[in-house]
PDB file of all heavy atoms in Angstrom:
ATOM      1  N   ILE A 187       4.850 -33.517 -12.417  1.00 98.00           N
ATOM      2  CA  ILE A 187       5.960 -34.141 -11.657  1.00 98.00           C
ATOM      3  C   ILE A 187       6.881 -34.854 -12.681  1.00 98.00           C
ATOM      4  O   ILE A 187       8.092 -34.765 -12.665  1.00 98.00           O
ATOM      5  CB  ILE A 187       5.492 -35.070 -10.570  1.00 98.00           C
ATOM      6  CG1 ILE A 187       4.881 -34.295  -9.462  1.00 98.00           C
ATOM      7  CG2 ILE A 187       6.607 -35.963  -9.993  1.00 98.00           C
ATOM      8  CD1 ILE A 187       4.087 -35.081  -8.450  1.00 98.00           C
ATOM      9  N   LYS A 188       6.254 -35.682 -13.554  1.00 97.00           N
ATOM     10  CA  LYS A 188       7.116 -36.413 -14.456  1.00 97.00           C
ATOM     11  C   LYS A 188       7.850 -35.567 -15.443  1.00 97.00           C
ATOM     12  O   LYS A 188       8.955 -35.880 -15.726  1.00 97.00           O
ATOM     13  CB  LYS A 188       6.135 -37.431 -15.228  1.00 97.00           C
ATOM     14  CG  LYS A 188       5.711 -38.623 -14.470  1.00 97.00           C
ATOM     15  CD  LYS A 188       4.823 -39.525 -15.284  1.00 97.00           C
ATOM     16  CE  LYS A 188       4.240 -40.639 -14.475  1.00 97.00           C
ATOM     17  NZ  LYS A 188       3.212 -41.394 -15.207  1.00 97.00           N
ATOM     18  N   ALA A 189       7.243 -34.455 -15.885  1.00 98.00           N
ATOM     19  CA  ALA A 189       7.872 -33.612 -16.872  1.00 98.00           C
ATOM     20  C   ALA A 189       8.900 -32.687 -16.284  1.00 98.00           C
ATOM     21  O   ALA A 189       9.865 -32.352 -16.895  1.00 98.00           O
ATOM     22  CB  ALA A 189       6.796 -32.857 -17.621  1.00 98.00           C
ATOM     23  N   ALA A 190       8.792 -32.299 -15.023  1.00 97.00           N
ATOM     24  CA  ALA A 190       9.615 -31.261 -14.427  1.00 97.00           C
ATOM     25  C   ALA A 190      10.786 -31.825 -13.657  1.00 97.00           C
ATOM     26  O   ALA A 190      11.746 -31.176 -13.354  1.00 97.00           O
ATOM     27  CB  ALA A 190       8.794 -30.330 -13.507  1.00 97.00           C
ATOM     28  N   ARG A 191      10.689 -33.103 -13.342  1.00 97.00           N
ATOM     29  CA  ARG A 191      11.715 -33.702 -12.368  1.00 97.00           C
ATOM     30  C   ARG A 191      12.971 -33.879 -13.064  1.00 97.00           C
ATOM     31  O   ARG A 191      13.073 -34.530 -14.201  1.00 97.00           O
ATOM     32  CB  ARG A 191      11.198 -34.997 -11.882  1.00 97.00           C
ATOM     33  CG  ARG A 191      12.227 -35.765 -10.927  1.00 97.00           C
ATOM     34  CD  ARG A 191      11.707 -37.041 -10.357  1.00 97.00           C
ATOM     35  NE  ARG A 191      10.817 -36.701  -9.256  1.00 97.00           N
ATOM     36  CZ  ARG A 191       9.796 -37.503  -8.895  1.00 97.00           C
ATOM     37  NH1 ARG A 191       9.574 -38.644  -9.523  1.00 97.00           N
ATOM     38  NH2 ARG A 191       9.025 -37.148  -7.911  1.00 97.00           N
ATOM     39  N   THR A 192      14.106 -33.429 -12.481  1.00 95.00           N
ATOM     40  CA  THR A 192      15.421 -33.748 -12.943  1.00 95.00           C
ATOM     41  C   THR A 192      16.172 -34.578 -11.949  1.00 95.00           C
ATOM     42  O   THR A 192      17.247 -35.078 -12.238  1.00 95.00           O
ATOM     43  CB  THR A 192      16.225 -32.420 -13.136  1.00 95.00           C
ATOM     44  OG1 THR A 192      16.419 -31.793 -11.868  1.00 95.00           O
ATOM     45  CG2 THR A 192      15.565 -31.543 -14.118  1.00 95.00           C
ATOM     46  N   GLY A 193      15.615 -34.661 -10.743  1.00 93.00           N
ATOM     47  CA  GLY A 193      16.274 -35.323  -9.603  1.00 93.00           C
ATOM     48  C   GLY A 193      17.316 -34.514  -8.852  1.00 93.00           C
ATOM     49  O   GLY A 193      17.969 -35.018  -7.944  1.00 93.00           O
ATOM     50  N   LYS A 194      17.465 -33.311  -9.252  1.00 90.00           N
ATOM     51  CA  LYS A 194      18.440 -32.419  -8.650  1.00 90.00           C
ATOM     52  C   LYS A 194      17.707 -31.400  -7.756  1.00 90.00           C
ATOM     53  O   LYS A 194      16.541 -31.023  -8.023  1.00 90.00           O
ATOM     54  CB  LYS A 194      19.313 -31.735  -9.584  1.00 90.00           C
ATOM     55  CG  LYS A 194      20.124 -32.807 -10.371  1.00 90.00           C
ATOM     56  CD  LYS A 194      20.970 -32.103 -11.413  1.00 90.00           C
ATOM     57  CE  LYS A 194      21.770 -33.145 -12.188  1.00 90.00           C
ATOM     58  NZ  LYS A 194      22.334 -32.658 -13.323  1.00 90.00           N
ATOM     59  N   ILE A 195      18.424 -30.689  -6.817  1.00 86.00           N
ATOM     60  CA  ILE A 195      17.789 -29.712  -5.962  1.00 86.00           C
ATOM     61  C   ILE A 195      17.374 -28.582  -6.920  1.00 86.00           C
ATOM     62  O   ILE A 195      17.909 -28.262  -7.924  1.00 86.00           O
ATOM     63  CB  ILE A 195      18.844 -29.265  -4.973  1.00 86.00           C
ATOM     64  CG1 ILE A 195      18.200 -28.399  -3.871  1.00 86.00           C
ATOM     65  CG2 ILE A 195      19.993 -28.460  -5.612  1.00 86.00           C
ATOM     66  CD1 ILE A 195      18.959 -28.290  -2.598  1.00 86.00           C
ATOM     67  N   GLY A 196      16.194 -27.965  -6.513  1.00 86.00           N
ATOM     68  CA  GLY A 196      15.622 -26.852  -7.227  1.00 86.00           C
ATOM     69  C   GLY A 196      14.626 -27.216  -8.251  1.00 86.00           C
ATOM     70  O   GLY A 196      14.282 -26.361  -9.102  1.00 86.00           O
ATOM     71  N   ASP A 197      14.132 -28.504  -8.313  1.00 92.00           N
ATOM     72  CA  ASP A 197      13.142 -28.902  -9.269  1.00 92.00           C
ATOM     73  C   ASP A 197      11.818 -28.221  -9.152  1.00 92.00           C
ATOM     74  O   ASP A 197      11.096 -27.917 -10.103  1.00 92.00           O
ATOM     75  CB  ASP A 197      12.862 -30.379  -9.122  1.00 92.00           C
ATOM     76  CG  ASP A 197      13.852 -31.214  -9.972  1.00 92.00           C
ATOM     77  OD1 ASP A 197      14.631 -30.684 -10.733  1.00 92.00           O
ATOM     78  OD2 ASP A 197      13.859 -32.473  -9.835  1.00 92.00           O
ATOM     79  N   GLY A 198      11.535 -27.745  -7.922  1.00 93.00           N
ATOM     80  CA  GLY A 198      10.357 -26.880  -7.804  1.00 93.00           C
ATOM     81  C   GLY A 198       9.322 -27.412  -6.853  1.00 93.00           C
ATOM     82  O   GLY A 198       9.553 -28.380  -6.114  1.00 93.00           O
ATOM     83  N   LYS A 199       8.095 -26.818  -6.864  1.00 96.00           N
ATOM     84  CA  LYS A 199       7.039 -27.212  -6.005  1.00 96.00           C
ATOM     85  C   LYS A 199       5.772 -27.113  -6.728  1.00 96.00           C
ATOM     86  O   LYS A 199       5.683 -26.317  -7.776  1.00 96.00           O
ATOM     87  CB  LYS A 199       6.927 -26.181  -4.762  1.00 96.00           C
ATOM     88  CG  LYS A 199       8.109 -26.244  -3.853  1.00 96.00           C
ATOM     89  CD  LYS A 199       7.690 -26.722  -2.551  1.00 96.00           C
ATOM     90  CE  LYS A 199       8.734 -26.757  -1.436  1.00 96.00           C
ATOM     91  NZ  LYS A 199      10.148 -26.564  -1.774  1.00 96.00           N
ATOM     92  N   ILE A 200       4.720 -27.822  -6.272  1.00 98.00           N
ATOM     93  CA  ILE A 200       3.315 -27.775  -6.791  1.00 98.00           C
ATOM     94  C   ILE A 200       2.386 -27.435  -5.667  1.00 98.00           C
ATOM     95  O   ILE A 200       2.459 -28.076  -4.652  1.00 98.00           O
ATOM     96  CB  ILE A 200       2.944 -29.087  -7.423  1.00 98.00           C
ATOM     97  CG1 ILE A 200       3.926 -29.444  -8.578  1.00 98.00           C
ATOM     98  CG2 ILE A 200       1.566 -28.892  -7.969  1.00 98.00           C
ATOM     99  CD1 ILE A 200       3.680 -30.781  -9.215  1.00 98.00           C
ATOM    100  N   PHE A 201       1.506 -26.496  -5.941  1.00 98.00           N
ATOM    101  CA  PHE A 201       0.510 -26.102  -4.921  1.00 98.00           C
ATOM    102  C   PHE A 201      -0.868 -26.309  -5.575  1.00 98.00           C
ATOM    103  O   PHE A 201      -1.088 -26.012  -6.706  1.00 98.00           O
ATOM    104  CB  PHE A 201       0.631 -24.585  -4.545  1.00 98.00           C
ATOM    105  CG  PHE A 201       1.995 -24.287  -4.024  1.00 98.00           C
ATOM    106  CD1 PHE A 201       2.969 -23.729  -4.786  1.00 98.00           C
ATOM    107  CD2 PHE A 201       2.363 -24.415  -2.691  1.00 98.00           C
ATOM    108  CE1 PHE A 201       4.254 -23.390  -4.433  1.00 98.00           C
ATOM    109  CE2 PHE A 201       3.660 -24.196  -2.237  1.00 98.00           C
ATOM    110  CZ  PHE A 201       4.544 -23.609  -3.108  1.00 98.00           C
ATOM    111  N   VAL A 202      -1.724 -26.871  -4.815  1.00 98.00           N
ATOM    112  CA  VAL A 202      -3.180 -27.135  -5.268  1.00 98.00           C
ATOM    113  C   VAL A 202      -4.108 -26.400  -4.328  1.00 98.00           C
ATOM    114  O   VAL A 202      -4.082 -26.668  -3.163  1.00 98.00           O
ATOM    115  CB  VAL A 202      -3.500 -28.601  -5.397  1.00 98.00           C
ATOM    116  CG1 VAL A 202      -4.847 -28.822  -5.882  1.00 98.00           C
ATOM    117  CG2 VAL A 202      -2.458 -29.291  -6.223  1.00 98.00           C
ATOM    118  N   ARG A 203      -4.915 -25.481  -4.926  1.00 98.00           N
ATOM    119  CA  ARG A 203      -5.871 -24.719  -4.059  1.00 98.00           C
ATOM    120  C   ARG A 203      -7.287 -24.866  -4.673  1.00 98.00           C
ATOM    121  O   ARG A 203      -7.468 -25.009  -5.825  1.00 98.00           O
ATOM    122  CB  ARG A 203      -5.573 -23.246  -4.079  1.00 98.00           C
ATOM    123  CG  ARG A 203      -4.327 -22.909  -3.383  1.00 98.00           C
ATOM    124  CD  ARG A 203      -4.118 -21.362  -3.461  1.00 98.00           C
ATOM    125  NE  ARG A 203      -3.538 -21.001  -4.677  1.00 98.00           N
ATOM    126  CZ  ARG A 203      -2.454 -20.488  -4.947  1.00 98.00           C
ATOM    127  NH1 ARG A 203      -1.606 -20.317  -3.944  1.00 98.00           N
ATOM    128  NH2 ARG A 203      -1.984 -20.256  -6.104  1.00 98.00           N
ATOM    129  N   ALA A 204      -8.276 -24.829  -3.777  1.00 97.00           N
ATOM    130  CA  ALA A 204      -9.701 -24.782  -4.279  1.00 97.00           C
ATOM    131  C   ALA A 204     -10.069 -23.472  -4.963  1.00 97.00           C
ATOM    132  O   ALA A 204      -9.639 -22.428  -4.511  1.00 97.00           O
ATOM    133  CB  ALA A 204     -10.556 -25.047  -3.088  1.00 97.00           C
ATOM    134  N   VAL A 205     -10.865 -23.557  -5.981  1.00 96.00           N
ATOM    135  CA  VAL A 205     -11.374 -22.313  -6.734  1.00 96.00           C
ATOM    136  C   VAL A 205     -12.876 -22.330  -6.454  1.00 96.00           C
ATOM    137  O   VAL A 205     -13.609 -23.242  -6.758  1.00 96.00           O
ATOM    138  CB  VAL A 205     -11.004 -22.424  -8.229  1.00 96.00           C
ATOM    139  CG1 VAL A 205     -11.706 -21.281  -8.945  1.00 96.00           C
ATOM    140  CG2 VAL A 205      -9.539 -22.510  -8.385  1.00 96.00           C
ATOM    141  N   GLU A 206     -13.324 -21.221  -5.887  1.00 94.00           N
ATOM    142  CA  GLU A 206     -14.732 -21.105  -5.573  1.00 94.00           C
ATOM    143  C   GLU A 206     -15.636 -20.745  -6.828  1.00 94.00           C
ATOM    144  O   GLU A 206     -16.757 -21.257  -6.931  1.00 94.00           O
ATOM    145  CB  GLU A 206     -14.889 -19.944  -4.529  1.00 94.00           C
ATOM    146  CG  GLU A 206     -14.430 -20.423  -3.161  1.00 94.00           C
ATOM    147  CD  GLU A 206     -14.642 -19.340  -2.100  1.00 94.00           C
ATOM    148  OE1 GLU A 206     -15.633 -18.646  -2.303  1.00 94.00           O
ATOM    149  OE2 GLU A 206     -13.838 -19.286  -1.115  1.00 94.00           O
ATOM    150  N   GLN A 207     -15.046 -19.830  -7.702  1.00 94.00           N
ATOM    151  CA  GLN A 207     -15.893 -19.420  -8.752  1.00 94.00           C
ATOM    152  C   GLN A 207     -14.979 -19.046  -9.909  1.00 94.00           C
ATOM    153  O   GLN A 207     -13.891 -18.486  -9.684  1.00 94.00           O
ATOM    154  CB  GLN A 207     -16.695 -18.196  -8.383  1.00 94.00           C
ATOM    155  CG  GLN A 207     -17.726 -17.825  -9.320  1.00 94.00           C
ATOM    156  CD  GLN A 207     -18.610 -16.622  -8.858  1.00 94.00           C
ATOM    157  OE1 GLN A 207     -18.289 -16.004  -7.824  1.00 94.00           O
ATOM    158  NE2 GLN A 207     -19.663 -16.323  -9.549  1.00 94.00           N
ATOM    159  N   VAL A 208     -15.466 -19.336 -11.166  1.00 93.00           N
ATOM    160  CA  VAL A 208     -14.768 -18.943 -12.403  1.00 93.00           C
ATOM    161  C   VAL A 208     -15.846 -18.249 -13.289  1.00 93.00           C
ATOM    162  O   VAL A 208     -16.940 -18.831 -13.443  1.00 93.00           O
ATOM    163  CB  VAL A 208     -14.158 -20.117 -13.122  1.00 93.00           C
ATOM    164  CG1 VAL A 208     -13.471 -19.618 -14.383  1.00 93.00           C
ATOM    165  CG2 VAL A 208     -13.171 -20.830 -12.220  1.00 93.00           C
ATOM    166  N   ILE A 209     -15.378 -17.147 -13.889  1.00 94.00           N
ATOM    167  CA  ILE A 209     -16.349 -16.435 -14.803  1.00 94.00           C
ATOM    168  C   ILE A 209     -15.538 -16.042 -16.056  1.00 94.00           C
ATOM    169  O   ILE A 209     -14.495 -15.438 -15.921  1.00 94.00           O
ATOM    170  CB  ILE A 209     -16.929 -15.146 -14.144  1.00 94.00           C
ATOM    171  CG1 ILE A 209     -17.677 -15.458 -12.847  1.00 94.00           C
ATOM    172  CG2 ILE A 209     -17.832 -14.436 -15.126  1.00 94.00           C
ATOM    173  CD1 ILE A 209     -17.872 -14.336 -11.967  1.00 94.00           C
ATOM    174  N   ARG A 210     -16.110 -16.486 -17.212  1.00 93.00           N
ATOM    175  CA  ARG A 210     -15.468 -16.063 -18.453  1.00 93.00           C
ATOM    176  C   ARG A 210     -15.998 -14.692 -18.829  1.00 93.00           C
ATOM    177  O   ARG A 210     -17.208 -14.437 -18.915  1.00 93.00           O
ATOM    178  CB  ARG A 210     -15.811 -16.995 -19.556  1.00 93.00           C
ATOM    179  CG  ARG A 210     -15.158 -16.674 -20.905  1.00 93.00           C
ATOM    180  CD  ARG A 210     -15.301 -17.660 -21.895  1.00 93.00           C
ATOM    181  NE  ARG A 210     -14.505 -18.876 -21.435  1.00 93.00           N
ATOM    182  CZ  ARG A 210     -14.526 -20.025 -21.904  1.00 93.00           C
ATOM    183  NH1 ARG A 210     -15.283 -20.301 -22.989  1.00 93.00           N
ATOM    184  NH2 ARG A 210     -13.709 -21.013 -21.481  1.00 93.00           N
ATOM    185  N   ILE A 211     -15.096 -13.703 -18.925  1.00 94.00           N
ATOM    186  CA  ILE A 211     -15.515 -12.340 -19.150  1.00 94.00           C
ATOM    187  C   ILE A 211     -16.338 -12.150 -20.394  1.00 94.00           C
ATOM    188  O   ILE A 211     -17.311 -11.448 -20.487  1.00 94.00           O
ATOM    189  CB  ILE A 211     -14.280 -11.420 -19.063  1.00 94.00           C
ATOM    190  CG1 ILE A 211     -13.694 -11.468 -17.662  1.00 94.00           C
ATOM    191  CG2 ILE A 211     -14.628  -9.996 -19.513  1.00 94.00           C
ATOM    192  CD1 ILE A 211     -12.408 -10.745 -17.481  1.00 94.00           C
ATOM    193  N   ARG A 212     -15.780 -12.712 -21.526  1.00 94.00           N
ATOM    194  CA  ARG A 212     -16.352 -12.570 -22.832  1.00 94.00           C
ATOM    195  C   ARG A 212     -17.822 -12.921 -22.931  1.00 94.00           C
ATOM    196  O   ARG A 212     -18.678 -12.257 -23.459  1.00 94.00           O
ATOM    197  CB  ARG A 212     -15.537 -13.371 -23.875  1.00 94.00           C
ATOM    198  CG  ARG A 212     -16.088 -13.227 -25.319  1.00 94.00           C
ATOM    199  CD  ARG A 212     -15.133 -13.866 -26.342  1.00 94.00           C
ATOM    200  NE  ARG A 212     -14.890 -15.245 -26.013  1.00 94.00           N
ATOM    201  CZ  ARG A 212     -15.647 -16.300 -26.389  1.00 94.00           C
ATOM    202  NH1 ARG A 212     -16.763 -16.093 -27.044  1.00 94.00           N
ATOM    203  NH2 ARG A 212     -15.263 -17.541 -26.029  1.00 94.00           N
ATOM    204  N   THR A 213     -18.113 -14.162 -22.389  1.00 94.00           N
ATOM    205  CA  THR A 213     -19.403 -14.706 -22.560  1.00 94.00           C
ATOM    206  C   THR A 213     -20.267 -14.694 -21.285  1.00 94.00           C
ATOM    207  O   THR A 213     -21.473 -14.885 -21.359  1.00 94.00           O
ATOM    208  CB  THR A 213     -19.342 -16.242 -22.971  1.00 94.00           C
ATOM    209  OG1 THR A 213     -18.693 -16.901 -21.939  1.00 94.00           O
ATOM    210  CG2 THR A 213     -18.626 -16.318 -24.261  1.00 94.00           C
ATOM    211  N   GLY A 214     -19.691 -14.488 -20.095  1.00 92.00           N
ATOM    212  CA  GLY A 214     -20.494 -14.528 -18.936  1.00 92.00           C
ATOM    213  C   GLY A 214     -20.722 -15.861 -18.327  1.00 92.00           C
ATOM    214  O   GLY A 214     -21.381 -16.023 -17.328  1.00 92.00           O
ATOM    215  N   GLU A 215     -20.104 -16.879 -19.020  1.00 93.00           N
ATOM    216  CA  GLU A 215     -20.216 -18.357 -18.499  1.00 93.00           C
ATOM    217  C   GLU A 215     -19.580 -18.378 -17.133  1.00 93.00           C
ATOM    218  O   GLU A 215     -18.616 -17.706 -16.815  1.00 93.00           O
ATOM    219  CB  GLU A 215     -19.532 -19.188 -19.433  1.00 93.00           C
ATOM    220  CG  GLU A 215     -20.177 -19.445 -20.806  1.00 93.00           C
ATOM    221  CD  GLU A 215     -19.248 -20.275 -21.734  1.00 93.00           C
ATOM    222  OE1 GLU A 215     -18.148 -19.815 -21.939  1.00 93.00           O
ATOM    223  OE2 GLU A 215     -19.790 -21.250 -22.216  1.00 93.00           O
ATOM    224  N   THR A 216     -20.105 -19.293 -16.278  1.00 92.00           N
ATOM    225  CA  THR A 216     -19.584 -19.487 -15.012  1.00 92.00           C
ATOM    226  C   THR A 216     -19.313 -20.925 -14.713  1.00 92.00           C
ATOM    227  O   THR A 216     -19.807 -21.870 -15.437  1.00 92.00           O
ATOM    228  CB  THR A 216     -20.573 -18.970 -13.889  1.00 92.00           C
ATOM    229  OG1 THR A 216     -21.774 -19.637 -13.900  1.00 92.00           O
ATOM    230  CG2 THR A 216     -20.801 -17.488 -14.055  1.00 92.00           C
ATOM    231  N   GLY A 217     -18.544 -21.218 -13.712  1.00 89.00           N
ATOM    232  CA  GLY A 217     -18.336 -22.625 -13.258  1.00 89.00           C
ATOM    233  C   GLY A 217     -17.381 -23.385 -14.259  1.00 89.00           C
ATOM    234  O   GLY A 217     -16.603 -22.751 -14.979  1.00 89.00           O
ATOM    235  N   ALA A 218     -17.722 -24.691 -14.446  1.00 85.00           N
ATOM    236  CA  ALA A 218     -16.856 -25.589 -15.336  1.00 85.00           C
ATOM    237  C   ALA A 218     -16.908 -25.172 -16.755  1.00 85.00           C
ATOM    238  O   ALA A 218     -15.949 -25.307 -17.446  1.00 85.00           O
ATOM    239  CB  ALA A 218     -17.364 -27.031 -15.137  1.00 85.00           C
ATOM    240  N   GLU A 219     -18.010 -24.479 -17.206  1.00 87.00           N
ATOM    241  CA  GLU A 219     -18.093 -24.019 -18.627  1.00 87.00           C
ATOM    242  C   GLU A 219     -17.166 -22.905 -18.919  1.00 87.00           C
ATOM    243  O   GLU A 219     -16.720 -22.756 -20.040  1.00 87.00           O
ATOM    244  CB  GLU A 219     -19.538 -23.610 -18.991  1.00 87.00           C
ATOM    245  CG  GLU A 219     -20.602 -24.647 -18.928  1.00 87.00           C
ATOM    246  CD  GLU A 219     -21.147 -24.864 -17.511  1.00 87.00           C
ATOM    247  OE1 GLU A 219     -21.193 -23.927 -16.769  1.00 87.00           O
ATOM    248  OE2 GLU A 219     -21.381 -26.054 -17.198  1.00 87.00           O
ATOM    249  N   ALA A 220     -16.761 -22.236 -17.857  1.00 86.00           N
ATOM    250  CA  ALA A 220     -15.875 -21.105 -18.052  1.00 86.00           C
ATOM    251  C   ALA A 220     -14.398 -21.452 -18.089  1.00 86.00           C
ATOM    252  O   ALA A 220     -13.543 -20.734 -18.522  1.00 86.00           O
ATOM    253  CB  ALA A 220     -16.104 -20.058 -16.941  1.00 86.00           C
ATOM    254  N   VAL A 221     -14.104 -22.680 -17.584  1.00 84.00           N
ATOM    255  CA  VAL A 221     -12.787 -23.134 -17.637  1.00 84.00           C
ATOM    256  C   VAL A 221     -12.301 -23.582 -19.026  1.00 84.00           C
ATOM    257  O   VAL A 221     -11.493 -23.331 -19.622  1.00 84.00           O
ATOM    258  CB  VAL A 221     -12.491 -24.324 -16.621  1.00 84.00           C
ATOM    259  CG1 VAL A 221     -11.044 -24.799 -16.768  1.00 84.00           C
ATOM    260  CG2 VAL A 221     -12.783 -23.824 -15.212  1.00 84.00           C
TER     261      VAL A 221
END
């Protein structure tokens, strides 16, 4: 918000969604370690 705001129309939107699972393809790590 601080970096993207210009105060003019068209500044944009932010969406936050839950992530159920993350898997790193190279190592097979899952969850927080894969992020």
Side-chain angles (χ1 to χ4, degrees):
I187 291 170
K188 286 180 185 173
R191 178 179 284 154
T192 65
K194 297 180 181 165
I195 193 164
D197 275 350
K199 296 242 181 349
I200 300 172
F201 305 95
V202 180
R203 291 183 281 247
V205 174
E206 292 183 27
Q207 186 175 16
V208 178
I209 302 164
R210 180 170 296 170
I211 295 172
R212 178 176 53 88
T213 62
E215 293 171 302
T216 60
E219 295 85 34
V221 176

